[in-house]
Amino acid sequence: MANVTDLQSKYSKLAQEYSKLRAQNQVLKKAVVDEQTASCSLKDELKQKEQSLRKVEQEMDSLSFRNQQLTKRVELLQEELLLSESKSKKSKNKGDSPSQVSLETQSVFDEDLQKKIQENERLHIQFYEADEQYRRQEAQLRARLDQLEKESEQHQAVVDALNRKYTDAIEKLQNDKAHLEVKAQTLEREAKDCRIRTEECQQQLRKYQSEVSSQLKHSSSVIQEKVPFNDTQLSDYNSLNVPLHNRRHQLKARDMVAQALGFVQNLVSALLNFHSYMEQRVHIYPLDSSIEAISPVNLKFSQYLHENASYLRPLEEHLLQLHHSITEDGITALETLAKLQDFSRSFSSYSSFLQKILPYQLQSLEEECEVSLCTTALASKNRQLQKDMKKLTAVFQKLKSYVALLALPSVCSDAMCKSSANTVFTQMSACLHGLQDAATELSQHYSQKASLEQDLPTVTQKFRTTNECLLSSLASLTNSCGKMATFFSNNLDFLALCPGYSPRGGFLNPRQADSMMENKRRAATYMSTIRKVRSESVPYREALANRHVLTSSTESREGLMQQVAQSQEKISRLEQEKEHWLLEAQLGQVRLQKEIQRIAQLEAQITTGCPAESHSATDDPDPMCADAPEPGQDTSLIGMLTVTPCSESAADQESREHLIKHHYMSRVSELTTQLQMCDSKAVHFHAECRAVAKRLAMAEKCRETLTEELKLAHQNITRLQDELSTTKRSYEDQLSMMSDHLCSMNDTLSKQRDEIDTLKLASKGNSKKNKSR
């Protein structure tokens, strides 16, 4: 019950975490929508910036055109000045009074011209500086905008990936929750059934114990009083009895073979990866086969390495067959394991494969040493690797010989005695430890070689990944060899143990015991087939009627099952649509609130912006043209400019230049305000992205905690299943032992009764003879 309460508490925790994740998922969706709206607003601002840039370019064109007009006007004034000077020279002879007038007018024109030139230069300088500043700011804003767009795309991709990941995780958690609930219900039912069975078994056990104790007392008294001899002392007759069966030894042997099968599968996968990545490395280094042809030694070596699966897969298959051949009712010994010979053949073929590829591997390492880029350190590591490969091949050869010796009793029963089997097992354990040492040395030397090869200038990314894969395969090889060595050394006593199979004392050959157990199984099956009661036959017409009823009921049942399945699918689909439209409604509410806020902001901007524009349009009137007629408005691409229809005089020119300057200053101020707005929005967007990143980190932590809790739940479930299986197995073993004991007691009682009857008959015959005498 405590386990059930723990499971229920964990399920409640999982439901709470799932609701939290669902709420966080909704928050993430809202953040994604906010980021999308922000990106849309940034795109709109970019379009506005481009439009303003086009307007400024058109203004620059108009200003350049007006500047050209001013230069032409200055040239005309200079020509008029020259003409006036020539006229003044001609009029010098006529008198002094007109010359003085011309000189005065000339001086006035010179001063005006000088002022205009200076003012023009100053305006040119200011215009150039404003243009340069505007270009720099525009370039900075464009770069900033590109960066922000890239960051928004990256954040959008991260958010989409996380959404997909969390939806998958939520679906998995829901499925796991459903499976766990179903498993919990089944485990509760099984627990209840097991309690009921245990109570029944305990009652039966008490009953059987009382009966057996009474029978034992009776049989012991009968044996002590009336049995004259024990036939188990005769070995010839005793060998014909059925031997006792050690079921615990069988179960442990099957368990050990299953563990050995897992270790061998890991070893085979590691060796397959090692040979495959070694083949890939041969095609890449020292010569790349995609660019130029490799050497014939490496070509032959790669061809041999490509055949590794044909030698390694039979190891796993034959050991799997050996595991399936071990049953609870059989007798497991070296003499009865016929499948061990197949495993020995496959292991010997793989060791011969290693011997075949060893010279090519050594020659390939020699070719790597002969490369021009090979340093002395690499050459020394290659020599160490050559020694390691020789050592590894020698260890596999030793293991081949030991496995062959162990497989000999399956062919010939007299080939190996108990002491020789013990020595073979101990030597094999030491050889497995030597294999672990050789694998660790090979892994260490190859990791050092790979670290040295990283510094070579011609190393490619493909070569680096191949080296990393080779190192991982060597690490898995070392790990699997270590597990095999520790497993073998820990179970050495059990492996060296030779169980005795004997009927009531003595010792039998395991093959004879196996054949006797097979005969016992056949006799039991024969007796069960004899005792089977034949079922009563049904009349033909009644069978036809029952068949019609059954077909109609099955058809109706199938139709109802289909309707139920369709209704369940509709219900699930409607629930999904309901959740979808709820989410859409929430998103619509968020969008509506944002649109209302944006409309309010636009209305506020419109109400505050109209009087400012009218004020800027009528600001700074020309004092020189105050008495002039009605002023006109010149609307160009750069804006709205107020002009007065004055005569082309110096005051008109100054007022026009002043208006142009004021217009450009107002435009620069507007651009600076827009730049500040863009900066503030970018800072806000950056803060939102950081907040989203923090939420993602928190969601990752929550997901890790949920996965850990789910693992603990799975472990508890497996533990409960193991406990249930062990209890079932123990009860079954007890019942089988009790049944065997009862059978043996019944046999002994029947024999004793027969002997008592024979003794009674003999005593009666003797009494009759005495009477007749």
Side-chain angles (χ1 to χ4, degrees):
M1 293 297 289
N3 293 325
V4 175
T5 55
D6 293 335
L7 284 172
Q8 289 178 355
S9 63
K10 288 178 181 178
Y11 293 152
S12 62
K13 288 181 181 178
L14 281 173
Q16 292 175 2
E17 294 295 332
Y18 172 69
S19 62
K20 289 181 182 178
L21 282 174
R22 195 169 181 180
Q24 291 175 0
N25 191 10
Q26 291 179 358
V27 173
L28 284 173
K29 286 182 179 180
K30 290 179 182 178
V32 170
V33 173
D34 294 337
E35 287 183 359
Q36 288 177 356
T37 53
S39 64
C40 292
S41 63
L42 285 173
K43 288 179 181 178
D44 295 334
E45 288 179 1
L46 179 61
K47 290 179 181 179
Q48 292 177 1
K49 293 287 183 183
E50 288 177 353
Q51 290 176 1
S52 62
L53 179 62
R54 290 172 185 170
K55 289 180 180 179
V56 170
E57 288 177 354
Q58 290 174 359
E59 288 175 0
M60 287 176 63
D61 294 335
S62 63
L63 283 174
S64 62
F65 177 71
R66 291 177 182 176
N67 194 5
Q68 289 176 4
Q69 287 180 350
L70 288 172
T71 53
K72 290 179 181 179
R73 183 73 176 276
V74 169
E75 288 175 359
L76 291 171
L77 288 171
Q78 286 178 357
E79 288 176 359
E80 289 177 358
L81 182 61
L82 291 174
L83 290 172
S84 63
E85 286 178 356
S86 63
K87 288 178 182 180
S88 63
K89 286 179 182 179
K90 289 179 182 180
S91 62
K92 277 182 182 179
N93 297 324
K94 293 180 180 179
D96 294 331
S97 59
S99 64
Q100 290 177 358
V101 175
S102 64
L103 288 170
E104 289 177 359
T105 55
Q106 184 179 359
S107 63
V108 170
F109 278 120
D110 290 335
E111 288 177 0
D112 291 335
L113 181 61
Q114 190 68 28
K115 286 180 181 179
K116 293 293 182 183
I117 290 168
Q118 291 176 0
E119 188 70 23
N120 195 8
E121 288 179 356
R122 187 170 58 79
L123 286 172
H124 273 292
I125 291 166
Q126 289 180 358
F127 177 72
Y128 181 73
E129 289 177 354
D131 191 11
E132 289 294 329
Q133 187 178 2
Y134 175 72
R135 287 179 180 176
R136 286 197 298 271
Q137 289 178 356
E138 184 184 2
Q140 290 176 2
L141 286 172
R142 283 183 180 278
R144 188 73 176 274
L145 186 60
D146 293 335
Q147 185 179 2
L148 289 173
E149 284 181 351
K150 289 180 182 178
E151 288 180 358
S152 66
E153 289 177 356
Q154 291 176 359
H155 287 298
Q156 184 67 29
V158 170
V159 169
D160 293 336
L162 287 171
N163 283 328
R164 289 194 296 270
K165 188 188 292 184
Y166 284 124
T167 51
D168 296 336
I170 287 165
E171 289 177 357
K172 287 181 181 178
L173 287 172
Q174 287 178 351
N175 295 327
D176 293 336
K177 181 183 176 183
H179 288 303
L180 288 172
E181 288 177 353
V182 173
K183 286 182 180 179
Q185 292 175 0
T186 53
L187 286 173
E188 288 177 357
R189 292 169 188 164
E190 289 179 357
K192 290 179 181 178
D193 295 336
C194 288
R195 290 192 193 96
I196 294 167
R197 288 178 184 175
T198 50
E199 291 176 357
E200 292 177 356
C201 290
Q202 286 176 358
Q203 292 176 0
Q204 290 179 1
L205 184 62
R206 294 191 193 97
K207 180 181 177 181
Y208 290 150
Q209 282 179 354
S210 61
E211 290 179 358
V212 167
S213 60
S214 62
Q215 289 179 3
L216 182 62
K217 289 179 182 179
H218 179 69
S219 61
S220 60
S221 62
V222 169
I223 288 168
Q224 288 176 1
E225 291 176 359
K226 297 183 180 180
V227 175
F229 65 94
N230 189 5
D231 59 351
T232 57
Q233 294 178 355
L234 299 174
S235 60
D236 295 335
Y237 297 138
N238 191 23
S239 62
L240 300 175
N241 292 325
V242 177
L244 298 176
H245 182 57
N246 194 351
R247 193 179 295 274
R248 293 180 181 175
H249 181 272
Q250 287 295 115
L251 294 173
K252 189 171 182 182
R254 185 175 176 81
D255 190 13
M256 284 184 62
V257 172
Q259 293 179 8
L261 176 62
F263 294 143
V264 169
Q265 286 176 352
N266 294 331
L267 179 67
V268 166
S269 64
L271 289 171
L272 282 170
N273 292 329
F274 175 67
H275 292 314
S276 302
Y277 292 128
M278 184 62 71
E279 179 187 359
Q280 187 176 354
R281 177 189 163 86
V282 165
H283 281 285
I284 297 171
Y285 187 81
L287 296 176
D288 196 351
S289 62
S290 61
I291 300 171
E292 52 185 335
I294 59 177
S295 63
V297 174
N298 283 332
L299 183 62
K300 198 71 176 175
F301 184 40
S302 66
Q303 290 176 359
Y304 285 147
L305 285 174
H306 192 68
E307 301 172 356
N308 57 0
S310 61
Y311 294 97
L312 284 168
R313 292 298 181 190
L315 284 173
E316 184 179 354
E317 293 174 359
H318 290 153
L319 193 60
L320 185 63
Q321 293 175 3
L322 178 63
H323 176 256
H324 290 318
S325 65
I326 297 173
T327 58
E328 294 183 2
D329 297 331
I331 292 175
T332 301
L334 291 175
E335 291 83 357
T336 60
L337 293 175
K339 297 292 182 180
L340 188 60
Q341 188 71 20
D342 298 332
F343 180 75
S344 174
R345 291 195 195 96
S346 59
F347 196 84
S348 63
S349 64
Y350 177 67
S351 62
S352 61
F353 169 72
L354 287 178
Q355 280 188 343
K356 182 172 67 173
I357 65 172
L358 180 61
Y360 295 99
Q361 196 160 16
L362 299 178
Q363 192 65 30
S364 176
L365 291 172
E366 287 292 334
E367 287 184 0
E368 289 184 7
C369 293
E370 292 174 0
V371 177
S372 60
L373 295 175
C374 184
T375 59
T376 55
L378 270 176
S380 64
K381 294 299 175 188
N382 288 330
R383 293 188 188 93
Q384 288 177 357
L385 285 173
Q386 287 178 350
K387 293 179 182 177
D388 294 337
M389 293 305 298
K390 290 179 182 177
K391 186 177 179 181
L392 188 68
T393 308
V395 171
F396 269 102
Q397 287 295 317
K398 285 184 180 179
L399 281 173
K400 180 194 77 171
S401 60
Y402 291 136
V403 172
L405 285 173
L406 289 176
L408 281 176
S410 62
V411 178
C412 181
S413 61
D414 298 331
M416 184 181 294
C417 62
K418 183 178 179 181
S419 60
S420 62
N422 293 334
T423 55
V424 168
F425 280 122
T426 52
Q427 292 295 327
M428 192 171 179
S429 177
C431 190
L432 285 173
H433 284 287
L435 180 62
Q436 180 188 1
D437 296 335
T440 51
E441 290 178 359
L442 181 62
S443 179
Q444 290 175 359
H445 293 158
Y446 201 87
S447 63
Q448 295 171 1
K449 179 185 176 183
S451 62
L452 290 173
E453 287 176 348
Q454 293 290 330
D455 300 331
L456 294 177
T458 58
V459 173
T460 59
Q461 186 64 33
K462 187 177 180 181
F463 183 63
R464 289 176 182 171
T465 53
T466 305
N467 279 337
E468 290 176 358
C469 294
L470 265 172
L471 289 174
S472 64
S473 63
L474 285 172
S476 61
L477 178 63
T478 306
N479 191 12
S480 59
C481 290
K483 288 179 180 179
M484 286 179 65
T486 53
F487 168 74
F488 208 85
S489 60
N490 291 332
N491 297 302
L492 189 61
D493 297 333
F494 179 78
L495 291 171
L497 179 65
C498 184
Y501 300 98
S502 61
R504 302 179 188 176
F507 183 76
L508 281 178
N509 193 359
R511 287 193 172 184
Q512 294 178 357
D514 192 11
S515 63
M516 288 183 181
M517 292 297 291
E518 184 65 27
N519 292 328
K520 180 184 176 183
R521 284 194 293 272
R522 289 180 181 177
T525 54
Y526 177 71
M527 293 301 293
S528 63
T529 53
I530 289 174
R531 290 173 182 175
K532 279 184 180 179
V533 179
R534 292 184 180 181
S535 60
E536 295 180 358
S537 61
V538 181
Y540 183 70
R541 293 180 180 177
E542 186 177 355
L544 285 176
N546 292 331
R547 182 177 179 278
H548 290 301
V549 172
L550 285 171
T551 52
S552 61
S553 61
T554 52
E555 288 175 357
S556 61
R557 184 173 176 273
E558 288 177 356
L560 290 172
M561 289 295 288
Q562 289 178 359
Q563 290 178 3
V564 168
Q566 290 175 1
S567 62
Q568 287 178 355
E569 289 177 358
K570 287 181 181 178
I571 289 166
S572 62
R573 187 170 66 253
L574 288 172
E575 286 180 353
Q576 291 176 0
E577 290 179 357
K578 179 184 175 183
E579 292 178 356
H580 173 71
W581 289 115
L582 285 173
L583 292 174
E584 290 291 334
Q586 292 177 359
L587 293 174
Q589 289 179 358
V590 173
R591 289 174 184 172
L592 180 60
Q593 291 175 0
K594 288 185 177 179
E595 287 294 329
I596 291 168
Q597 291 176 0
R598 190 172 65 83
I599 289 166
Q601 290 176 0
L602 289 173
E603 288 177 353
Q605 289 178 2
I606 288 167
T607 54
T608 56
C610 289
E613 290 178 358
S614 64
H615 178 71
S616 64
T618 59
D619 196 7
D620 288 336
D622 189 6
M624 300 295 292
C625 298
D627 297 331
E630 293 181 358
Q633 291 182 353
D634 185 10
T635 57
S636 63
L637 292 172
I638 60 173
M640 186 170 63
L641 184 63
T642 306
V643 293
T644 56
C646 298
S647 62
E648 291 182 354
S649 62
D652 186 10
Q653 295 294 329
E654 287 179 358
S655 64
R656 188 176 181 82
E657 289 170 358
H658 184 72
L659 288 172
I660 291 169
K661 178 183 176 182
H662 183 268
H663 181 70
Y664 273 105
M665 291 300 290
S666 64
R667 292 292 296 165
V668 168
S669 65
E670 288 177 2
L671 289 173
T672 52
T673 54
Q674 289 178 2
L675 178 62
Q676 289 175 0
M677 288 291 291
C678 289
D679 288 334
S680 64
K681 287 181 180 179
V683 170
H684 179 67
F685 181 70
H686 182 65
E688 286 182 352
C689 290
R690 289 180 65 185
V692 170
K694 288 181 181 178
R695 288 173 185 171
L696 290 175
M698 292 173 66
E700 285 287 337
K701 289 180 182 178
C702 292
R703 187 177 64 81
E704 289 176 357
T705 54
L706 285 173
T707 51
E708 289 177 357
E709 290 178 357
L710 188 61
K711 287 180 182 177
L712 291 173
H714 282 300
Q715 289 176 1
N716 290 325
I717 289 167
T718 53
R719 183 172 58 78
L720 290 171
Q721 289 177 354
D722 293 335
E723 290 178 358
L724 184 62
S725 63
T726 51
T727 52
K728 284 182 179 179
R729 191 178 295 170
S730 63
Y731 286 138
E732 289 175 356
D733 293 337
Q734 289 176 3
L735 289 173
S736 62
M737 291 173 66
M738 290 297 296
S739 61
D740 293 335
H741 186 66
L742 286 172
C743 291
S744 61
M745 291 298 295
N746 288 324
D747 293 335
T748 52
L749 286 171
S750 62
K751 289 180 181 179
Q752 288 170 3
R753 286 171 183 170
D754 294 336
E755 290 174 356
I756 289 166
D757 293 334
T758 53
L759 288 172
K760 285 180 178 179
L761 291 172
S763 62
K764 287 181 180 179
N766 292 324
S767 61
K768 287 180 180 180
K769 288 180 181 179
N770 292 324
K771 287 179 180 180
S772 62
R773 287 177 182 176

